[in-house]
Amino acid sequence: MKFNLFRRPQAVAAAEPTGATTVTMAPTPAVISTSVPETSGSNNTEINKNDMFEEIKSKFLNEIDKIPLPPWALIAIAVVAALLILTCCFCIIKKCCCKKKKNKKGKKGKDGFNMKNMQGGEKLQDDDDDEGETGLTEEEKEEEEKEQEKLGKLQYSIDYDFENTKLTVGILQAADLMSMDSGGTSDPYVKVLLLPDKKKKFDTKVHKKTLNPVFNETFVFKVPYEELGGKTLVMSVYDYDRFSKHDVIGEVKIPMNTIDLGRPIEEWKDLESADQEEPEKLGDICISLRYVPTAGKLTVCILEAKNLKKMDACGLSDPYVKIQLLQGGKRLKKKKTTVKKNTLNPYYNESFSFEIPLEQMQKILVAVTVFDYDKIGKNDAIGKIFVGSKATGLGLKHWSDMLANPRRPIAQWHPLQPEEDIDGQLASLAAKK
């Protein structure tokens, strides 16, 4: 046995082609014959792969050589392309991760609720449906929180004179008003009107930097008793702002058919959040601007207006237009058109000229106000606009088009805005100087 063991390795290592060895070591040549072709085949495949790689490499290098760019440019393009690919991959991975996090949160909520359903049965499923229907978004919750904030309270008095058919409303004082300014205070005043008539309204004096103003002011509405039932008294508390729109703090609404006018009333009421009304449509006005630089002459032509707000009881207005030339907040000149009776769509075609040197054109503003003429009382402003180099929107565009086209009249329609808003904008422009 020892002899045979020592002999086998010699036969494999020597692999002598003798007859004895082939007889005694028959399995050995079979192993050798099978192993030799395998190694040769693997060597051939490796050679073929190397040849293919070299061929592809040579073709790639030949194609690169054909490109009419220096090597540094090719490297730069490759780097940029790699960065773009990496950025895209990063964005995709980030989005996928975010979605997974959201799904996990959602699943946690759902699983927790399902456990409750397991314990509570069908009753909790009904509660789930109710909560789904009445569920509030974050914005709605914020609005509810704002509404729950205390806005303050107002003390007022109401007295009706049956003999003279006069309703006297007294604004006495306010307390614990919500602060609207950054300093923790407000500049409150009260606006009083008797709806649905918005034309006649009264304002108290403004009290600066206080949350507990004392007004002690009275206002009189002449209204027949039989008409009072369909009216609503509104007392709105505002925070005065010199350079922007006044913010409403809160309001008190009293339907006149819900109170007893047989005796004077004096009471406190909590302010409620005011309804956010849509901006009232005041109408549009069409004006034409023309400037001649050599003569230093600006011509403003009031062409027409349309869809003006109804200011009279009959549902019409008696409109006329006032033009003001302003510089640095000061009025230099003013002109006005004729009055057009009983119309909401007046046609004027009236021109007005102003002498303005070219160097002053950048400092000038033109304010245009539409008024409703009233023989007895004060003429009420329907709406207002202004144009100039310091205007915005259509006012600036119209002025720029006029300067870009000297000696040519440029016409443009402008939507009328509340007089208070335009006056606030003009005051802020004057203050910047």
Side-chain angles (χ1 to χ4, degrees):
M1 291 296 294
K2 290 180 180 179
F3 178 78
N4 291 336
L5 288 169
F6 286 114
R7 294 281 297 173
R8 280 181 185 174
Q10 291 177 0
V12 172
E16 295 178 357
T18 59
T21 53
T22 53
V23 173
T24 56
M25 304 298 293
T28 305
V31 172
I32 295 168
S33 62
T34 54
S35 62
V36 170
E38 282 181 1
T39 54
S40 63
S42 63
N43 291 333
N44 290 334
T45 54
E46 288 178 0
I47 292 167
N48 291 335
K49 287 180 180 178
N50 291 333
D51 292 341
M52 289 175 65
F53 178 75
E54 291 295 333
E55 186 177 354
I56 292 169
K57 183 179 178 181
S58 61
K59 285 182 179 180
F60 179 72
L61 292 173
N62 291 333
E63 292 295 329
I64 290 176
D65 292 336
K66 291 178 183 179
I67 298 174
L69 290 173
W72 63 267
L74 296 174
I75 293 170
I77 292 170
V79 170
V80 171
L83 289 173
L84 288 173
I85 292 169
L86 288 173
T87 304
C88 293
C89 293
F90 176 75
C91 293
I92 292 169
I93 292 169
K94 190 175 180 182
K95 283 186 177 180
C96 292
C97 291
C98 291
K99 285 182 180 178
K100 285 180 181 178
K101 286 180 181 178
K102 287 181 181 177
N103 291 334
K104 284 180 181 178
K105 288 180 182 178
K107 285 179 181 178
K108 284 180 182 178
K110 288 179 182 177
D111 293 341
F113 199 75
N114 289 335
M115 291 297 292
K116 290 180 182 179
N117 288 344
M118 292 287 289
Q119 296 174 0
E122 295 180 356
K123 187 176 180 180
L124 284 180
Q125 289 181 357
D126 295 336
D127 293 340
D128 180 24
D129 294 336
D130 293 337
E131 287 179 7
E133 292 174 0
T134 60
L136 298 174
T137 62
E138 291 182 359
E139 293 179 357
E140 290 173 343
K141 287 179 180 178
E142 288 178 1
E143 288 179 1
E144 278 195 352
E145 289 175 1
K146 287 181 181 178
E147 288 178 359
Q148 289 173 1
E149 290 179 357
K150 291 184 178 180
L151 304 175
K153 53 186 179 179
L154 180 69
Q155 186 186 26
Y156 61 90
S157 64
I158 300 174
D159 188 15
Y160 187 72
D161 184 354
F162 288 89
E163 292 182 4
N164 299 312
T165 63
K166 290 181 180 180
L167 178 70
T168 303
V169 179
I171 304 298
L172 305 179
Q173 59 181 324
D176 304 327
L177 295 179
M178 185 173 68
S179 62
M180 304 294 286
D181 299 336
S182 57
T185 61
S186 296
D187 302 326
Y189 72 95
V190 182
K191 187 176 289 187
V192 185
L193 65 156
L194 202 59
L195 295 177
D197 182 16
K198 292 184 179 181
K199 184 177 178 181
K200 190 170 185 180
K201 56 187 175 183
F202 300 99
D203 294 345
T204 66
K205 293 179 180 178
V206 177
H207 290 252
K208 295 285 187 179
K209 297 181 180 180
T210 179
L211 300 179
N212 301 282
V214 178
F215 299 101
N216 286 328
E217 298 183 42
T218 57
F219 308 101
V220 178
F221 296 89
K222 190 168 178 62
V223 187
Y225 179 74
E226 55 271 14
E227 295 180 10
L228 270 177
K231 296 188 180 294
T232 302
L233 178 64
V234 180
M235 295 167 284
S236 304
V237 183
Y238 283 83
D239 173 48
Y240 174 81
D241 195 326
R242 184 181 176 189
F243 300 125
S244 63
K245 189 176 181 181
H246 304 166
D247 299 317
V248 61
I249 299 175
E251 66 180 11
V252 174
K253 281 187 176 180
I254 303 174
M256 299 307 293
N257 57 3
T258 62
I259 60 176
D260 181 14
L261 294 173
R263 57 182 180 83
I265 299 171
E266 183 178 317
E267 60 185 0
W268 285 90
K269 264 201 175 180
D270 291 331
L271 294 175
E272 298 177 354
S273 57
D275 298 331
Q276 296 295 329
E277 298 180 357
E278 295 182 1
E280 192 176 13
K281 293 182 180 179
L282 305 175
D284 303 274
I285 187 168
C286 183
I287 65 173
S288 171
L289 301 176
R290 178 175 179 263
Y291 185 67
V292 182
T294 54
K297 186 178 180 181
L298 172 67
T299 303
V300 180
C301 182
I302 306 299
L303 296 172
E304 59 180 316
K306 64 179 180 181
N307 303 325
L308 295 179
K309 179 185 173 184
K310 302 171 184 177
M311 302 295 286
D312 297 339
C314 60
L316 296 173
S317 296
D318 302 325
Y320 71 94
V321 183
K322 182 188 285 186
I323 304 102
Q324 293 177 309
L325 200 66
L326 307 173
Q327 182 178 354
K330 296 180 180 180
R331 186 178 66 189
L332 301 180
K333 294 181 182 179
K334 66 175 182 177
K335 307 276 186 178
K336 62 181 179 179
T337 67
T338 56
V339 178
K340 303 296 179 180
K341 295 283 188 179
N342 300 325
T343 179
L344 300 178
N345 300 282
Y347 180 77
Y348 298 99
N349 196 21
E350 299 180 30
S351 298
F352 306 92
S353 296
F354 305 92
E355 292 183 1
I356 306 170
L358 181 60
E359 58 271 15
Q360 295 293 323
M361 285 297 290
Q362 297 298 325
K363 303 176 183 178
I364 293 297
L365 294 173
V366 179
V368 179
T369 312
V370 182
F371 284 90
D372 173 48
Y373 175 76
D374 198 332
K375 288 181 180 179
I376 302 172
K378 182 183 176 183
N379 298 335
D380 297 315
I382 298 175
K384 190 172 185 177
I385 66 157
F386 76 98
V387 296
S389 59
K390 295 180 181 179
T392 57
L394 284 175
L396 177 59
K397 181 181 180 299
H398 196 179
W399 191 262
S400 301
D401 290 346
M402 174 198 69
L403 294 177
N405 298 276
R407 301 180 183 85
R408 282 183 55 192
I410 306 296
Q412 176 73 55
W413 281 97
H414 295 262
L416 292 172
Q417 299 179 41
E419 185 185 27
E420 295 175 357
D421 295 353
I422 298 298
D423 288 344
Q425 294 178 36
L426 294 173
S428 63
L429 290 174
K432 286 179 182 179
K433 281 195 168 186

